[in-house]
């Protein structure tokens, strides 16, 4: 991913974020009132406003430094979505005796529908990998910049590979311009701090 810094947005500021996953749907209403809907995106894209997470003057200073280092929209970063940052017992593949690499994913199931989300920014030290439900304490590694798990020896044919992990979202600022107001000596605010997900 070009123009990306492997650094996490301050989690104490993202904790106050509002927002979440969104889609793009075109809705055409006929003269009779019937609708025709077209899903323009196959996958959701996250969008958040983290302005409400600013509570202290020190956080404003930290945010200014973070914004400058990313040069506004120029560079992406890791963002912790506190409403959705963990996954458990996620099936990432089935062994065939040859394949050594598996991509981390998280699946969302509802009403018979399943959306599979690629996880490209797992948090270091949180990934656990299992073969047929038994934790593999060694013999594998994970690339925290891509979410790819690599085994030293390929899992045997029919072996189900699952994983538990925490993850960040690749994201960027949606503005190149800061708009900060210092309300009191100890507190500043920024009206809208929009952060959008970068699709892998």
């Amino acid at each position: 991913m070009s123009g990306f810094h492997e650094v996490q947005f301050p989690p104490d500021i993202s904790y106050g974020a509002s927002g979440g996953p969104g889609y793009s749907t075109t809705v055409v209403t006929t003269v009779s009132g019937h609708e025709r809907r077209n899903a323009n995106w196959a996958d959701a894209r996250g969008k958040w406003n983290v302005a409400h997470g600013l509570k202290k003057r020190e956080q404003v200073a930290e945010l200014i430094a973070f914004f400058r280092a990313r040069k506004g929209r120029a560079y992406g970063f890791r963002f912790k979505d506190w409403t959705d940052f963990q996954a458990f017992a996620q099936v990432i593949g089935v062994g065939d005796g040859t394949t050594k690499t598996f991509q981390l994913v998280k699946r969302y199931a509802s009403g018979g529908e399943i959306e599979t989300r690629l996880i490209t920014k797992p948090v270091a030290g949180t990934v656990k990998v299992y073969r047929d439900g038994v934790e593999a304490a060694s013999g594998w590694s994970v690339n925290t910049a891509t979410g790819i798990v690599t085994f030293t020896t390929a899992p045997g044919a029919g072996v189900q590979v699952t994983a538990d992990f925490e993850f960040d979202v690749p994201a960027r600022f949606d503005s190149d311009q800061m708009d900060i107001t210092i309300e009191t000596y100890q507190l500043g605010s920024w009206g809208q701090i929009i952060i959008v997900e970068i699709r892998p």
Side-chain angles (χ1 to χ4, degrees):
M1 185 179 296
S2 63
F4 193 90
H5 294 169
E6 290 290 339
V7 59
Q8 188 186 58
F9 183 86
D12 60 327
I13 300 176
S14 65
Y15 186 77
S18 61
Y23 292 87
S24 173
T25 306
T26 301
V27 180
V28 177
T29 305
T30 65
V31 292
S32 63
H34 292 88
E35 287 184 350
R36 182 170 294 176
R37 296 178 299 279
N38 182 61
N40 300 319
W41 297 351
D43 301 310
R45 185 184 190 193
K47 183 177 181 180
W48 303 268
N49 181 1
V50 298
H52 297 296
L54 288 173
K55 300 176 180 67
K56 301 176 182 178
R57 185 73 178 269
E58 292 79 12
Q59 290 176 313
V60 174
E62 185 178 16
L63 181 60
I64 291 172
F66 193 91
F67 185 82
R68 282 180 172 272
R70 310 289 90 73
K71 302 188 184 304
R73 295 182 294 178
Y75 293 92
F77 50 85
R78 302 174 73 112
F79 179 80
K80 184 172 186 175
D81 176 6
W82 286 89
T83 66
D84 186 8
F85 67 94
Q86 295 175 306
F88 301 98
Q90 297 296 304
V91 177
I92 61 173
V94 177
D96 57 11
T98 302
T99 303
K100 293 183 179 181
T101 60
F102 299 84
Q103 176 69 55
L104 290 178
V105 297
K106 182 174 182 180
R107 291 181 173 84
Y108 301 82
S110 176
E113 297 293 322
I114 299 176
E115 179 173 313
T116 301
R117 178 183 188 182
L118 292 181
I119 302 298
T120 60
K121 302 297 177 186
V123 176
T126 69
V127 181
K128 294 182 179 180
V129 174
Y130 304 81
R131 294 188 186 96
D132 281 342
V134 178
E135 184 176 358
S138 60
W140 61 273
S141 62
V142 61
N143 186 329
T144 56
T146 64
I148 294 176
V149 174
T150 302
F151 284 90
T152 305
T153 302
V159 173
Q160 187 178 69
V161 181
T162 57
D164 302 336
F165 50 88
E166 293 185 8
F167 61 96
D168 291 324
V169 180
R172 63 168 174 79
F173 287 106
D174 198 33
S175 175
D176 284 325
Q177 178 64 53
M178 297 194 81
D179 183 19
I180 291 182
T181 300
I182 301 300
E183 298 178 346
T184 68
Y185 177 74
Q186 287 297 327
L187 179 64
S189 67
W190 183 357
Q192 294 281 317
I193 311 174
I194 304 300
I195 288 174
V196 295
E197 181 175 357
I198 301 171
R199 286 213 179 100

